[in-house]
Structures are given as C-alpha cells and as structure tokens.
Amino acid sequence: MTTEDTRTYDVVVIGAGPVGENVADRTVAAGLSTVIVESELVGGECSYWACEPSKALLRPALLRAEASRVPGLDPAVAGPLDTAAVLAHRDRMSAHWNDEDQVEWLKSAGIELLRGHGRLAGPRRVSVTTPDGSTVLLHARHAVAVCTGSRAALPDDLAGLDALRPWTSREATAAKEAPRRLVVVGASVVATEMATAWQSLGSEVTLVAREDALLSRMEPFAGELVAEQLQKAGVDLRYGTTIRHAERTDGPDSEIRILLSDGTELSDGTELLTDALLFATGRAPRTDDIGLDTVGLASGEWLTTDDTLTVTAVRDDWLYAVGDVNRRALFTHQGKYQARIAGAVIAARAQGTPLDTGRWGAHVAAADTAAVPHVVFTDPEVAAVGLTTVEAERTGRRVDVVDYELGNLAGAHQYVPGYRGTARVLIDPERRVVVGATFVGPGVAELLHSATVAITTEAPIDRLWHAVPPFPTISEVWLRILETYRG
C-alpha cells in the first residue's frame, strides 16, 4: 500500500551532488525554503565515484613518479606501491561510501533532504517515490533545479555488453583490488588517468583509442607528453583501434577475450585477454527517468540553458538545469560555479530584483564559455583554461601564441631535475589580454588558477608585467612568457 502527501517549498532541487548542494545552499542563504531530493548518496558522483577516489588513487602514483627523479629519494621509491594501503586511503577519501557527514551538513545549512527518486510532474511540480514506496508531491513556488548530473556512456554497438560486466568510471575508482590485466577504451581524461593509476598499482594496462592521439581536445603537445610517459611506465597504447568483438569466457578466471580492429576491411584484428574492461568513452545525461515529458521535453536528452542556467525550452523561467546535465562544462568545479550563479538568479527573480546579465555579470555563467579550468592528473599533469589553438583556428579567432619550455626554469630544476614540460599562452593581440593557457609538466595544476584569474579579469599584458613571480618557482614561467612576447 502506498501513501501520498503534498508539500510546498520555494525551491525544489533534484540531485544532491555538489551542484545541487550549492544551489540549495545559495537559495537558503537568500531566505528561500528549499528541499533537495536524492536517490543515491548525498555528495554525488564527485565524492564517491569520481574526483575524490580517483585523485586518491592517482596521488601516490604521481608522487612516486616525481620522487623517483629526485636525487636522494630515487632509491627509496624504486619499489612497487603498497596497493592495499592506496586502496584503503581511497576508501577513506570516499568516506567509505557513507554520506552521514554530508547529510549533517545539509541540516546545518537549513536544507531539507528528501530521499527518493524525483520526477517532474508538470510545471513547478516534482513527484518523489521514496524508498518505502510512498509518493511525495512537491510544489515549488519559484524554481525547480535539475542537478542530476551525468553517467558514463557505454557503446551501443557491441554485442553482449552486459555479459562482459564492463567497468565504467564508477567501477574503475571503486575496485577492491587491482586486476592483473586491464584494457581501457578511450583517449580522454578518465582513460588516461585510470591507465596511470592502475598501471602504478600493478595492473598490466592496454589503452585502446579510436583516435590517433590522446587528449585530442587539448593542445597537441599535451597528449604527446602524456603518451610518452604512459609508454615508459609500461602501458600498451593502441591508436586508431576499436573493439570488434568481446566475450567473457567460462571458468574460474572468467577472463574477457577481445578482438581489436584497425577499421580496415583486410584487418583480421588482434586478440587480447584481460581481466577487466573499462569503457571511458564519454558521458550521457541522467535525464532518462525524471519526467521531462511532463513539461514538453525529450527524455534522456541534455538540457539546454541560457547563461542564467534557465532551461530555454520551458516557459516562465522556473526550470533550471545546473551542472553536467546542461553539457556546458562537465567538471565538478564548473558545476559548483554554475550553482552559485543559478542560486543568485533564482533568488533575484523570487525577490523581483533585476538580473545583472552583462559581461561577467552576477547572474551569468560567463566562465562556461571563456574560462573553464581543467586538470588531467596524469604523469605529467596537464592544466588548461580558456582557448586552445585548435579552437582558435576552428572559429577563425586571431591569437598570438607564446610557447615556453618549463624545463628552462630554475624552479623547475629545483622541483625535479631533468624536468620536462611545456607552457603555451594565447594572447588577443588587439585587446592585449590572455585568452587561453595550457601547462604540461609535473606539478603544473597549481599554476592554473593564476591563468584563470588573468583571463577572467582581462588583465592587460602590461599590467601583468608588474605581477612579480617568486624565485625559484615554476610560476616564473609567467615572466618568461611575457618576456618572450614583448621581445
């Protein structure tokens, strides 16, 4: 027997990951009653199956790689990693997949939590099926924010996929032991990071890439340097290759037999045997069962928004899509940024305050198109924000390109002897401002925020000349970039 009750709030948020939490935090801070609906763990993908566990797996690998190049430390780190200790650390960083602390934070922030599966049920209405089978109907006076995120996309053209029991990013970050052999399918962030992590933990890793290069959406030298280090670590890279057929064998080991193809009709392919098969081939929106049809939208599709994060295909400015689900920038930090903007927009509309939608205004997610920072935690690290030369060429945008070898810096030599890495900065020659930056090398993630600040503030090159970097640090690259550009 089921029961039903009806409750009314100013704001209803579907999804209690970092994005939904931040939307709710901002609307509650503005005095709006807010309920957040969650069907899994409060804290979402990032806390339990993405950012936190993946970086916990990668940190020991990257630290050992750097330490192995430092005199005095190199013999001490020559042995294998303690896989059990690394996995235990990963478990701690993922809170052992327990969301009690996150639930307590919601309470402390004044956000009400309703556990269950939330589905839109018409304008400003959300129907929630709770774990005990009851139905709760939520009415939103002002806004509903869809923050359901994304999931790993699996290939739809590979027969018998379910029988393979393939890994996605969730299984790759939550595995309880290192497989003896692992095949990774993909060439982007998840593929390269997980190849790095599991190779360091003792797995024999083969990376199968349909593309001819890694990290193809970034500057070409990024993928080249990452590929070089992966191969040095022992990863078998197969470019221009796809899986023609795969099947799981019977028996106690239950290994997976894979037939690869290079796409030519004459190719008989290459056979691989593996214990685990990871697909890291993209993301899909979690919108296939959230009632989009009740408001005239297509189930399973990405939700298109304007810069205020308002869904453009729905009338009356009450429906918002924030985070991965809108496909603007699929990064946790960017989703949280969008959440802060969306929360401010919802509050302003509820209070009848005009929106500030000018360039870099308080109510527009301008960084989604001009300054999206992202880091690939491989060896070497890759950090980028803003425009790339590929994108500039594709859009016909004129830029001046300034490259500098990070290994020429005294700070880089202090960091790791024999340091190898490259920096590239793109400058708008008319406005004389930075519009893009890419850094590849050990420890470059910490350089990225300075580039992000330069882009978002549109600081003139002549003003940046007065920002003096400390010596000897890798941040001195900014001085060398400016010197190169000026002379």
Side-chain angles (χ1 to χ4, degrees):
M1 180 178 180
T2 61
T3 60
E4 180 175 322
D5 66 36
T6 301
R7 309 175 193 176
T8 300
Y9 298 86
D10 292 323
V11 180
V12 176
V13 179
I14 306 176
V19 176
E21 289 176 318
N22 274 268
V23 171
D25 185 41
R26 292 295 84 213
T27 55
V28 165
L32 302 177
S33 61
T34 302
V35 62
I36 194 166
V37 181
E38 178 53 55
S39 60
E40 293 189 292
L41 295 175
V42 175
E45 201 80 9
C46 178
S47 297
Y48 308 105
W49 301 288
C51 317
E52 295 288 4
S54 68
K55 303 316 169 275
L57 292 174
L58 286 160
R59 178 58 181 156
L62 302 185
L63 187 58
R64 183 181 66 169
E66 293 178 7
S68 68
R69 303 165 195 154
V70 176
L73 281 176
D74 43 344
V77 297
L81 291 174
D82 184 336
T83 301
V86 173
L87 296 181
H89 170 61
R90 182 274 317 273
D91 292 350
R92 288 190 296 273
M93 294 303 294
S94 303
H96 298 277
W97 293 272
N98 184 307
D99 65 1
E100 290 179 359
D101 288 346
Q102 302 257 14
V103 171
E104 284 302 312
W105 178 84
L106 288 180
K107 291 179 181 178
S108 70
I111 303 165
E112 186 169 334
L113 170 65
L114 179 59
R115 291 194 184 271
H117 189 106
R119 299 175 180 88
L120 292 167
R124 295 186 174 85
R125 291 157 57 95
V126 175
S127 177
V128 181
T129 304
T130 65
D132 65 4
S134 300
T135 299
V136 179
L137 185 61
L138 304 175
H139 287 261
R141 296 187 186 93
H142 298 292
V144 175
V146 176
C147 307
T148 50
S150 65
R151 56 176 173 78
L154 289 170
D156 55 12
D157 58 352
L158 189 62
L161 188 62
D162 290 343
L164 296 175
R165 301 190 297 278
W167 281 11
T168 67
S169 52
R170 281 197 170 195
E171 289 77 19
T173 57
K176 297 304 180 184
E177 60 183 12
R180 185 168 71 85
R181 298 162 298 185
L182 171 65
V183 171
V184 179
V185 182
S188 196
V189 178
V190 173
T192 53
E193 287 191 347
M194 289 299 95
T196 299
W198 288 110
Q199 179 73 29
S200 75
L201 292 172
S203 298
E204 298 173 12
V205 177
T206 301
L207 191 149
V208 176
R210 183 188 300 268
E211 299 88 342
D212 294 326
L214 301 183
L215 304 173
S216 59
R217 294 185 179 181
M218 308 183 80
E219 297 288 2
F221 60 82
E224 292 168 4
L225 288 170
V226 170
E228 179 182 313
Q229 285 302 118
L230 283 174
Q231 289 177 311
K232 283 185 178 179
V235 174
D236 181 4
L237 298 182
R238 309 286 184 96
Y239 294 115
T241 305
T242 59
I243 294 180
R244 176 184 293 181
H245 177 75
E247 61 182 4
R248 186 172 284 278
T249 62
D250 296 327
D253 294 333
S254 189
E255 60 191 2
I256 301 172
R257 180 178 291 111
I258 297 172
L259 183 64
L260 300 177
S261 173
D262 64 5
T264 63
E265 293 183 3
L266 298 178
S267 172
D268 292 328
T270 301
E271 185 175 279
L272 292 176
L273 292 175
T274 186
D275 302 292
L277 173 61
L278 165 61
F279 285 101
T281 50
R283 307 290 294 178
R286 290 182 179 272
T287 59
D288 52 342
D289 187 21
I290 61 168
L292 292 182
D293 57 305
T294 69
V295 293
L297 300 175
S299 177
E301 297 296 320
W302 301 97
L303 296 177
T304 302
T305 73
D306 59 20
D307 286 346
T308 68
L309 290 315
T310 307
V311 176
T312 54
V314 175
R315 296 174 54 190
D316 299 329
D317 296 339
W318 63 271
L319 184 62
Y320 298 78
V322 194
D324 279 14
V325 75
N326 62 35
R327 209 182 191 180
R328 291 169 65 93
L330 278 66
F331 302 101
T332 296
H333 50 270
Q334 208 67 23
K336 291 164 71 174
Y337 159 74
Q338 291 177 12
R340 296 190 292 271
I341 301 296
V345 171
I346 292 168
R349 284 177 171 157
Q351 296 160 0
T353 304
L355 298 185
D356 174 10
T357 57
R359 182 172 175 79
W360 303 111
H363 300 118
V364 292
D368 284 350
T369 54
V372 177
H374 49 114
V375 178
V376 187
F377 291 89
T378 47
D379 175 25
E381 288 180 345
V382 181
V385 60
L387 205 61
T388 64
T389 53
V390 174
E391 184 66 11
E393 183 177 351
R394 186 185 69 81
T395 57
R397 186 166 176 179
R398 185 186 167 208
V399 293
D400 291 336
V401 180
V402 187
D403 290 344
Y404 193 82
E405 291 303 311
L406 292 170
N408 293 334
L409 299 169
H413 282 290
Q414 291 284 3
Y415 192 90
V416 174
Y419 189 109
R420 290 193 63 214
T422 300
R424 171 169 289 175
V425 171
L426 275 56
I427 297 171
D428 182 323
E430 294 182 359
R431 295 188 296 137
R432 292 180 62 78
V433 297
V434 175
V435 293
T438 298
F439 307 100
V440 183
V444 296
E446 300 304 331
L447 285 176
L448 191 57
H449 193 58
S450 57
T452 305
V453 170
I455 293 172
T456 56
T457 59
E458 299 179 327
I461 290 296
D462 292 338
R463 178 60 61 86
L464 290 178
W465 187 254
H466 296 283
V468 181
F471 179 89
T473 65
I474 301 175
S475 64
E476 196 180 17
V477 67
W478 281 106
L479 173 59
R480 303 306 173 208
I481 286 284
L482 294 174
E483 287 177 336
T484 302
Y485 187 61
R486 292 184 111 188

